[in-house]
Amino acid sequence: AVRLHRWEAIPVNYFDLLLGSRWEHDSMHGQRPNYEPNDEIDRRRAAVALGHSDLFITDSYTADLCRRSKVADYAPTIVFSTKQADAILEFIRKSA
């Protein structure tokens, strides 16, 4: 599948590529917050979560990165920003 450019066959790599390309775009256009080395780890963690979780709670930039990268087109994972506490609690209540 990967040989035929079906990158989504390996979810962790696919999401890392998807988020990484949007992240680089933001960086080149001055649209991302100050870079911290921890951002590399956060992006990789996001890729793992998107490929294997039902719910992913992250910082606001990464949540917006997921939205703009349209990860919902490729994974059922629900993504929330840590600033969306009420929405997170509502989601958990409905899921119980």
Side-chain angles (χ1 to χ4, degrees), residues 11 15 45-58 63 66-67 70-80 91:
F15 287 118
R45 286 180 179 157
V48 171
L50 292 168
H52 300 287
S53 302
D54 295 325
L55 175 65
F56 176 48
I57 301 170
T58 187
C66 290
R67 181 190 58 77
K70 299 182 181 181
V71 298
D73 291 351
Y74 306 99
T77 307
I78 305 298
V79 179
F80 286 110
F91 175 83

Side-chain angles (χ1 to χ4, degrees), residues 72-93:
D73 291 351
Y74 306 99
T77 307
I78 305 298
V79 179
F80 286 110
S81 162
T82 53
K83 294 180 179 181
Q84 296 176 285
D86 292 338
I88 295 166
L89 290 173
E90 180 71 19
F91 175 83
I92 292 170
R93 283 187 197 106

Side-chain angles (χ1 to χ4, degrees), residues 6-83:
R6 289 190 39 232
W7 306 112
E8 66 276 8
I10 304 174
V12 172
N13 290 346
Y14 179 70
F15 287 118
D16 191 45
L17 289 168
L18 189 65
L19 295 175
S21 61
R22 176 63 66 178
W23 189 45
E24 287 297 322
H25 176 271
D26 287 358
S27 181
M28 290 186 327
H29 292 90
Q31 296 174 325
R32 57 173 276 98
N34 293 333
Y35 174 81
E36 296 288 334
N38 187 49
D39 293 341
E40 300 286 343
I41 297 167
D42 290 345
R43 195 180 82 219
R44 189 69 175 165
R45 286 180 179 157
V48 171
L50 292 168
H52 300 287
S53 302
D54 295 325
L55 175 65
F56 176 48
I57 301 170
T58 187
D59 62 78
S60 56
Y61 175 75
T62 304
D64 187 54
L65 187 70
C66 290
R67 181 190 58 77
R68 291 181 296 116
S69 299
K70 299 182 181 181
V71 298
D73 291 351
Y74 306 99
T77 307
I78 305 298
V79 179
F80 286 110
S81 162
T82 53
K83 294 180 179 181

